[in-house]
Amino acid sequence: MSRKVLVLGEVRDGSLRNVSFEAIAAAKTVAEGGEVVGVLVGTSVSVLGAELIQNGADRVVVVEDEKLNLYTSDGYAQALLAVIDQEKPEGLVLGHTSLGKDLSPRIAGKLASGLISDATAVEVAGGNVVFTRPIYSGKAFEKKIVTEGLIFATVRPNNIAPLQKDESRTGEVSNLSVEIKDLRAIIKEVVRKASEGVDLSEAKVVISGGRGVKSADGFQPLKELANVLGGAVGASRGACDADYCDYSLQIGQTGKVVTPDLYIACGISGAIQHLAGMSNSKVIVAINKDPEANIFKVADYGIVGDLFEVVPLLTEEFKKLKVHS
Amino acid sequence: MKIYVLMKRTFDTEEKISIRGGKINEDGAEFIINPYDEYAIEEAIQVRDAKGGEVTVISVGSEESEKQLRTALAMGADKAVLINTEDDVENGDQFTTAKILAEYLKDKDADLIIGGNVAIDGGTGQVGPRVAELLNIPYVTTITKLEIDGTNVTVTRDVEGDSEVIETSLPLLVTAQQGLNEPRYPSLPGIMKAKKKPLEELELDDLDLEEDDVEAKTKTIEIYLPPKKEAGRVLAGDLNDQVKELVHLLHSEAKVI
């Protein structure tokens, strides 16, 4: 059964986020041969339409309005609902990002639709579109289907492979005019703390520090390693509580959930609180002085040693590798 | 002010998870107030203490949730409401819970509704915004600061580590993020007082809801545990060699670099 599926292309600092390309790949599975329609909401975003199409969307609908400059649930809900009203899709996929988490339940509520949040895989099985999602902080998984409304899901960044980008793909980019009214919550100020460098939740490599980094300066070698690998720096709750870094870096039960290809835990003991945020990473490396540390139980590779010795050596070794390859 | 808190009883995350009969085995497990809902309860109490009014904590669940509701009362909430769905709802989802909560709240003239931004068991974060949508009031999720001046509200919202300062107004629903406050522990006098505070128990009938009205819109077809990870390799030898070996393994064996 083929379906028309909408995908919201999420724009951050003028660029599309990777998770939107992953959402397109998920939408292709949901569509079962039907049309995948990208949706762009904001100001001057139509230029990004071609990129959505190169990444697998068949065409793109754009809603532009000054009031959509910054994300608000009121503004975006009006825009997206207007596109849904025009396109009458059978499916809808968003990234499970701050925006997706905030907006999707509202759309589902409005349409009295089911919604599967934070999916890490999607397949068609036994005539159903089946989503897989972690529960109990990734200690278990469930497979779920929508039984009423749109086949509607948000997808966790870094889990569903995007389609191969094809620069020869073309398609229609059309505008839909929507009157945006009644924003009941207005953004007065945006304070940037986390967005320097690579986005933690989408990073392919995460270098994370715990109490073992000992101070704010202790994060410096981790940052250097992250730079060499094009990764992001994260932290355990212990490091945040000790004021070595901002809570925006916290990975864990409280904090962010990350699933990078490579997670390097430096001076992190591996409390359950922390494991909940990173245990589904593809490859985990632990560096810790304590050979009994819990983190070694989930690590694929471990080095027992002082992170201040090991991390700079690793940085040098990766630099050599980058030069050779 | 009429303040309502949406609270969920959850599995303690420190618990080991096992599966029996296709479901998560709850035998002998510790249950707690969902940690994000503790921030919500604390914030509600602080707002009431500053502005006056009453805090009512609501939970949709089974009789067993009474324990967590009593804890909320012991922290300082004034009233508790348990909407017991044990006999009526077998497989509810976020739509089910939101619909029931909204039905209860629709004629309560709530000024402020606070919930956790996500429950640590199901992990969807859907219920708060769904309730706000059903009640047709604004909402702000993952907040770390709340200031109320008359009906004007200024909130700080955590957006993947960045923050946004948002101006909005009552009535309002917000969901709590870590950092909003430091939830108090119930005091001994608080625990004694909680025993006498009102805890109302309702069923779907009392809300004029039929089972069909709250039927889930999603269905879980399988629950499983992730495959056990094999013990990793702890490298040995001279530190320089270990580092070289690790880089080689990540490049050639794991192929992540």
Side-chain angles (χ1 to χ4, degrees):
Chain A
M1 180 191 153
S2 77
R3 299 180 185 86
K4 185 197 271 190
V5 183
L6 300 189
V7 175
L8 180 68
E10 192 176 329
V11 182
R12 186 176 177 134
D13 298 334
S15 311
L16 284 160
R17 296 184 67 170
N18 275 334
V19 68
S20 299
F21 305 137
E22 296 163 4
I24 289 174
K28 275 270 191 236
T29 305
V30 175
E32 291 192 66
E35 195 181 24
V36 173
V37 181
V39 181
L40 288 167
V41 175
T43 50
S44 358
V45 287
S46 58
V47 290
L48 300 168
E51 200 180 346
L52 281 182
I53 290 166
Q54 287 166 6
N55 280 280
D58 296 301
R59 61 188 172 86
V60 173
V61 179
V62 181
V63 182
E64 289 183 332
D65 190 296
E66 276 309 314
K67 291 198 182 96
L68 300 170
N69 184 29
L70 293 171
Y71 167 78
T72 59
S73 70
D74 280 343
Y76 269 55
Q78 288 173 50
L80 189 52
L81 286 166
V83 178
I84 291 169
D85 193 47
Q86 172 182 281
E87 296 291 333
K88 313 254 180 317
E90 282 105 11
L92 174 59
V93 184
L94 278 71
H96 194 68
T97 56
S98 192
L99 186 159
K101 286 182 228 180
D102 191 74
L103 181 63
S104 59
R106 167 133 186 213
I107 302 290
K110 190 78 181 176
L111 302 173
S113 173
L115 165 63
I116 295 171
S117 301
D118 202 16
T120 53
V122 55
E123 64 193 321
V124 177
N128 286 316
V129 179
V130 181
F131 293 92
T132 301
R133 60 185 301 276
I135 49 175
Y136 296 86
S137 313
K139 287 182 177 178
F141 286 85
E142 64 177 351
K143 292 195 172 195
K144 236 174 145 107
I145 58 171
V146 177
T147 50
E148 200 180 329
L150 295 175
I151 297 190
F152 186 4
T154 59
V155 296
R156 178 182 287 199
N158 258 349
N159 281 267
I160 293 165
L163 304 169
Q164 187 72 40
K165 186 173 177 180
D166 176 359
E167 291 186 4
S168 68
R169 265 178 72 89
T170 54
E172 181 199 11
V173 178
S174 59
N175 280 284
L176 175 65
S177 158
V178 181
E179 195 197 336
I180 306 295
K181 49 196 171 194
D182 270 355
L183 299 186
R184 296 173 297 182
I186 309 282
I187 299 174
K188 282 292 162 193
E189 193 189 347
V190 179
V191 185
R192 290 294 169 105
K193 286 188 287 187
S195 37
E196 312 158 7
V198 182
D199 183 75
L200 192 50
S201 56
E202 291 191 87
K204 296 289 178 198
V205 176
V206 174
I207 317 294
S208 203
R211 281 191 188 277
V213 300
K214 292 190 188 128
S215 69
D217 290 341
F219 269 97
Q220 199 48 42
L222 277 58
K223 285 179 190 160
E224 282 161 24
L225 178 55
N227 275 340
V228 170
L229 295 176
V233 172
S236 72
R237 183 172 187 165
C240 298
D241 283 346
D243 233 2
Y244 302 162
C245 62
D246 193 83
Y247 277 105
S248 62
L249 300 187
Q250 186 180 326
I251 291 165
Q253 173 85 67
T254 42
K256 292 196 170 100
V257 176
V258 297
T259 40
D261 292 343
L262 174 60
Y263 189 92
I264 304 184
C266 310
I268 290 178
S269 63
I272 289 174
Q273 143 74 28
H274 185 71
L275 300 186
M278 48 64 78
S279 61
N280 293 321
S281 303
K282 284 169 201 94
V283 173
I284 298 170
V285 172
I287 300 164
N288 201 302
K289 275 200 275 196
D290 174 10
E292 303 299 320
N294 209 32
I295 192 78
F296 287 113
K297 290 188 188 142
V298 299
D300 299 278
Y301 306 108
I303 291 184
V304 177
D306 183 349
L307 75 94
F308 293 106
E309 282 181 60
V310 178
V311 172
L313 286 172
L314 261 181
T315 306
E316 286 315 305
E317 207 55 40
F318 278 122
K319 270 188 196 161
K320 283 186 211 159
L321 183 74
K322 295 269 163 181
V323 171
H324 290 302
S325 56
Chain B
M1 271 180 70
K2 289 187 184 172
I3 308 164
Y4 287 85
V5 179
L6 314 180
M7 188 205 83
K8 187 179 189 184
R9 164 186 184 261
T10 57
F11 220 82
D12 191 341
T13 47
E14 308 278 320
E15 292 284 334
K16 196 172 165 57
I17 303 270
S18 63
I19 289 176
R20 202 165 65 188
K23 293 195 165 172
I24 300 288
N25 182 10
E26 298 188 343
D27 288 355
E30 273 296 315
F31 282 83
I32 55 172
I33 295 175
N34 175 43
Y36 290 103
D37 300 351
E38 286 188 339
Y39 298 118
I41 296 165
E42 176 64 35
E43 196 66 15
I45 293 168
Q46 289 185 17
V47 170
R48 179 207 58 198
D49 289 351
K51 308 276 168 192
E54 193 174 73
V55 174
T56 307
V57 181
I58 328 167
S59 196
V60 175
S62 69
E63 211 152 62
E64 285 159 333
S65 305
E66 223 185 286
K67 188 178 164 200
Q68 285 71 34
L69 285 170
R70 287 282 173 209
T71 304
L73 292 171
M75 286 170 75
D78 301 290
K79 292 179 178 173
V81 176
L82 169 62
I83 304 171
N84 189 339
T85 56
E86 215 169 359
D87 298 333
D88 300 320
V89 179
E90 198 176 345
N91 293 303
D93 69 355
Q94 297 76 31
F95 166 80
T96 309
T97 308
K99 176 83 182 170
I100 293 169
L101 288 168
E103 206 60 28
Y104 172 81
L105 287 162
K106 69 177 186 192
D107 54 4
K108 298 290 184 288
D109 292 320
D111 296 298
L112 180 65
I113 303 170
I114 316 182
N117 82 79
V118 70
I120 57 173
D121 51 2
T124 72
Q126 289 184 26
V127 171
R130 275 185 183 265
V131 168
E133 172 61 31
L134 290 170
L135 295 174
N136 196 23
I137 60 171
Y139 65 87
V140 183
T141 55
T142 58
I143 69 158
T144 54
K145 194 172 176 191
L146 174 71
E147 290 170 306
I148 301 172
D149 181 10
T151 58
N152 295 327
V153 184
T154 307
V155 282
T156 303
R157 171 169 189 252
D158 168 54
V159 183
E160 297 175 14
D162 291 339
S163 37
E164 290 174 353
V165 180
I166 294 173
E167 282 181 4
T168 182
S169 59
L170 300 177
L172 174 73
L173 184 146
V174 292
T175 69
Q177 172 67 304
Q178 182 192 25
L180 179 61
N181 54 46
E182 218 28 80
R184 70 193 69 190
Y185 290 101
S187 65
L188 195 57
I191 294 168
M192 299 309 289
K193 265 194 240 166
K195 290 179 181 163
K196 290 188 189 127
K197 287 181 180 173
L199 192 157
E200 185 184 11
E201 190 176 327
L202 302 172
E203 292 192 16
L204 289 192
D205 267 357
D206 301 307
L207 301 172
D208 288 325
L209 283 171
E210 303 285 335
E211 285 162 47
D212 288 352
D213 298 332
V214 299
E215 194 181 326
K217 297 188 184 293
T218 56
K219 188 175 158 195
T220 298
I221 53 175
E222 190 188 345
I223 290 179
Y224 63 96
L225 300 181
K228 261 223 155 73
K229 238 182 142 160
E230 279 178 46
R233 265 173 69 182
V234 175
L235 307 181
D238 175 71
L239 196 57
N240 278 300
D241 295 339
Q242 284 189 45
V243 167
K244 282 195 173 73
E245 190 186 355
L246 177 61
V247 171
H248 174 75
L249 287 166
L250 292 174
H251 184 61
S252 315
E253 189 179 271
K255 296 190 168 62
V256 287
I257 291 296

